[in-house]
Amino acid sequence: MSSEFDDKIRDHSYDGIQEYDNPMPSWWSVGFWASVVWAVVYVIAISVGAIDTYEVDLAQGQAEIEQLRRAHAGNAPKVEWTEANLSTAIAAPGVVEAGLSPYTTRCAPCHGDAGQGLVGPNLTDDAWLHGGTNMDIFRSVKDGVPAKGMPAWGYILTQDELIGVVAWIRAAQGTNPPGAKPAQGTPVTP
């Protein structure tokens, strides 16, 4: 019993099973050999310094970030925040509304859209883990709490956004949103 496909069947058989002699598609072969050639070129280029290693690229990126930080620090007005002038800044019209956007994008993933607490603590009650004064909240947002996994937002948010976030947190206090986490920390009256 012969068929038109007999010449395409390979000579070997395993448990009576035969297979067709299907060559790889040319596009696949070209892609494979191109990646082999690129791997050799890449290893040689890294060895002679024509392509930066990860460590060199990381160091260059960190140097650029540090330069931007210094430039930003040089241009930013120097304000020595105290409880009094921070309270005045928070009470200014429109500050709470200005704090909604940075709160929503940066803080809500951990503290909830209404401040009810998710991974992070509830911000609507009167208990605080790291102090409940305006300055304490400002420092927590600006410098973060690395031991608890909270990043320092002072490098990312502008000073006005930081103040807005503090104002938003103050405005959210006492709202008792549904599903709020239980109080954590020491009760503090603002």
Side-chain angles (χ1 to χ4, degrees):
M1 171 171 153
S2 88
S3 76
E4 63 183 281
F5 299 109
D6 286 345
D7 61 335
K8 295 181 181 178
I9 294 179
R10 300 185 79 175
D11 292 334
H12 69 274
S13 170
Y14 184 74
D15 286 343
I17 300 171
Q18 293 178 309
E19 65 178 320
Y20 284 110
D21 186 14
N22 291 326
M24 296 300 285
S26 59
W27 64 267
W28 193 94
S29 297
V30 168
F32 173 76
W33 289 109
S35 65
V36 169
V37 169
W38 169 247
V40 171
V41 168
Y42 187 77
V43 167
I44 292 170
I46 279 192
S47 299
V48 299
I51 297 178
D52 290 336
T53 63
Y54 171 77
E55 291 80 11
V56 170
D57 192 41
L58 178 63
Q60 289 171 347
Q62 287 177 332
E64 288 175 25
I65 290 172
E66 187 57 36
Q67 183 181 10
L68 289 172
R69 281 185 182 159
R70 276 189 255 118
H72 175 71
N75 294 336
K78 304 293 184 221
V79 176
E80 188 64 38
W81 290 106
T82 64
E83 189 68 36
N85 63 7
L86 188 58
S87 295
T88 304
I90 289 170
V95 175
V96 173
E97 292 79 16
L100 177 62
S101 177
Y103 177 85
T104 302
T105 57
R106 307 291 184 193
C107 309
C110 293
H111 293 285
D113 59 345
Q116 73 272 21
L118 298 172
V119 174
N122 181 353
L123 301 175
T124 63
D125 57 25
D126 64 348
W128 294 91
L129 292 169
H130 307 287
T133 66
N134 291 334
M135 281 302 298
D136 292 332
I137 298 170
F138 182 80
R139 269 192 295 275
S140 293
V141 174
K142 181 177 175 281
D143 301 332
V145 185
K148 301 282 186 170
M150 181 175 166
W153 294 112
Y155 294 116
I156 295 167
L157 299 176
T158 65
Q159 197 160 289
D160 290 340
E161 289 173 326
L162 287 170
I163 293 168
V165 168
V166 175
W168 191 93
I169 291 169
R170 278 295 183 216
Q173 281 193 295
T175 58
N176 301 321
K181 280 179 81 172
Q184 297 172 288
T186 308
V188 175
T189 4

